[in-house]
Amino acid sequence: MPALAQRLPGIDAARGIALLGMVATHILPLMGAGAEPTPVGLLVSGRAAALFAVLAGIGLALSTGKQTPRQGRTLRAGQRSVSARALVLLAAGLTLGMVHVNVAVILVQYAALFLCILPFLGLRLPALAAWAGGWILLSPVAGYLLRPLLAEHLAPHGLGRLAGGSASWDSLQQPGLLLADIFVTGYYPVLQWISYLLVGLVLGRLALHRAGVQLALLGAWVGSGFSRLMFGGVAADES
């Protein structure tokens, strides 16, 4: 009972929503006639994967000290555990990449995200929030500048985007293309998707069990939805 009492039902509900969204992305049509997105495509395409990334950051925060991040030996033990999970995700992603499906497999990028987030696990909330804000602002600029440079470098070698859009064991034969695709040019560029995990880490370092924090987050979500309704926005998309 004490362990159950410490769970956060809202986080579990969000995980369920993300899981249902990912399932819908894989089994339901996302595009209709005339290449127009279906209601399912508009609702979950890209968003489910992004929610999973944010929840991954929250989970990492909760497992590494919640409001007070672990330090020293316990932090290193947590980082080793996250690294082991990343290796499992990498192997699973490369294997699933061999299967031809109509969506891009994100597991390899998740593995890279888990490895890239390791240095941030010991940061306290103020430093973590600063990193998250800076990454959100600057990573799109970095991606915009790097993509043409990488394209110019890879094109003379006859390299473009990974075949099928997903990394697989065959992709290891072209390591430069593989790394470029994972971090910058692919469907889920890690350079920018780190922002989702950093946001999740920030949220996980908050006192999520307190009603005031929950209300503040709900207000921020409602405000974000209202601003999108009033001023418009571009829906997330896997391409």
Side-chain angles (χ1 to χ4, degrees):
M1 287 302 295
L4 290 176
Q6 294 177 4
R7 295 196 66 86
L8 297 167
I11 300 299
D12 290 334
R15 287 172 176 149
I17 292 171
L19 180 59
L20 290 174
M22 294 291 274
V23 171
T25 299
H26 283 75
I27 66 174
L28 297 176
L30 303 180
M31 304 297 292
E36 291 293 326
T38 64
V40 172
L42 288 172
L43 183 63
V44 301
S45 181
R47 293 184 174 89
L51 178 57
F52 251 119
V54 172
L55 291 169
I58 294 176
L60 290 174
L62 296 178
S63 65
T64 56
K66 299 182 180 178
Q67 292 115 280
T68 305
R70 296 174 181 173
Q71 301 296 325
R73 187 175 300 175
T74 56
L75 174 61
R76 291 192 291 273
Q79 290 172 327
R80 287 194 296 270
S81 176
V82 174
S83 299
R85 291 165 63 186
L87 293 177
V88 173
L89 287 173
L90 177 63
L94 292 175
T95 301
L96 289 174
M98 304 290 290
V99 181
H100 295 290
V101 293
N102 63 343
V103 294
V105 178
I106 196 176
L107 293 183
V108 172
Q109 284 81 355
Y110 266 14
L113 286 168
F114 275 22
L115 294 176
C116 290
I117 210 69
L118 293 177
F120 300 96
L121 296 182
L123 296 182
R124 294 186 179 273
L125 184 57
L128 196 54
W131 271 102
W135 210 286
I136 290 171
L137 290 174
L138 297 179
S139 62
V141 178
Y144 176 80
L145 295 175
L146 285 173
R147 273 189 287 272
L149 294 177
L150 288 171
E152 182 181 353
H153 176 73
L154 295 174
H157 303 283
L159 301 179
R161 175 170 278 184
L162 287 177
S166 298
S168 66
W169 293 105
D170 291 340
S171 305
L172 297 178
Q173 300 175 23
Q174 299 175 323
L177 174 61
L178 176 61
L179 290 175
D181 187 89
I182 290 174
F183 285 94
V184 182
T185 63
Y187 285 101
Y188 306 103
V190 168
L191 175 66
Q192 290 165 249
W193 274 64
I194 290 175
S195 299
Y196 289 118
L197 263 75
L198 287 173
V199 168
L201 277 177
V202 170
L203 295 176
R205 294 287 182 232
L206 299 174
L208 293 176
H209 61 283
R210 294 183 178 176
V213 173
Q214 296 172 9
L215 289 174
L217 292 176
L218 177 61
W221 177 73
V222 172
S224 174
F226 180 76
S227 66
R228 288 177 62 87
L229 180 64
M230 293 298 294
F231 303 109
V234 180
D237 190 275
E238 278 133 332
S239 62

